[in-house]
Amino acid sequence: MSKTTRATQVLARAGIPHGVHAYEYDPEATRIGLQAAEAMGVPSGEVFKTLMAAVDGKPVCVLVPSDREVSLKKLAAAFSGKSAAMMRPAEAERLTGYHVGGISPLGQKRAVPTLVDAAALDLPEIFVNGGQRGLQVRLKPGDLVRVLEARTEAVT
C-alpha cells in the first residue's frame, strides 16, 4: 500500500504537519469509519468520515465523527439550502476520483464546498481518510479546515 496519495500530496504541498496511518481495511464493514477507529485503536469520535451529499442538487462534502450521523436538515441549512440527500456511491466516486471506503476530503478530482462538523474543533487532532482504503491521515482540525477552505458548523 502506498502512503503517498493525492490527499497526502495536498498536505505536503501546503506544509501541514500530519501523520499517515495504515490499518487493515475490512471490505465487509458496514460502518467504515468505526472499523478504521477500531483497527487503529483510537476513539471513534476522533475518526471523521467523509460523506458526499447534494444540497438543492449541488454537491458538497461533509466530515462528521464516525460514531455520529449527519442531520440532512442541518446540512441543508448550513449551505443555505432547502434539502439535502446523500450522494449515490457511483456518483461520489466519479466526482472525487476516489473509491468508496477511500474517499478523502483532500485532493478530490473536483473541489466542492466542504463542511467539517464543529465537534472536530474540540479535539487536538483528528483522523480523516487518506485517499485509499486502509489509510488515515492524522492532523490538527484547524489545519484541515484551513487547507480545505471549509466551513465549520454542528451538523450531527
Side-chain angles (χ1 to χ4, degrees), residues 98-113:
Y98 291 120
H99 294 291
V100 169
I103 294 179
S104 179
L106 301 154
Q108 293 186 0
K109 208 163 77 171
R110 178 175 159 212
V112 299

Side-chain angles (χ1 to χ4, degrees), residues 5-8 10-11 16 50 61 96 98 103-109 128-131 137 139 143-144 147-148:
T5 64
R6 290 190 322 267
T8 61
V10 166
L11 294 172
I16 293 177
T50 305
C61 178
T96 64
Y98 291 120
I103 294 179
S104 179
L106 301 154
Q108 293 186 0
K109 208 163 77 171
V128 298
N129 197 289
V137 175
L139 73 167
D143 288 342
L144 179 67
V147 75
L148 291 173

Side-chain angles (χ1 to χ4, degrees), residues 67-122:
D67 59 354
R68 298 189 192 164
E69 296 297 321
V70 68
S71 162
L72 294 176
K73 187 174 184 174
K74 289 181 182 179
L75 181 62
F79 284 101
S80 301
K82 292 181 181 180
S83 67
M86 298 309 300
M87 202 175 279
R88 291 188 318 269
E91 179 67 10
E93 289 181 343
R94 184 190 64 73
L95 186 70
T96 64
Y98 291 120
H99 294 291
V100 169
I103 294 179
S104 179
L106 301 154
Q108 293 186 0
K109 208 163 77 171
R110 178 175 159 212
V112 299
T114 301
L115 184 142
V116 177
D117 189 82
L121 302 178
D122 296 333

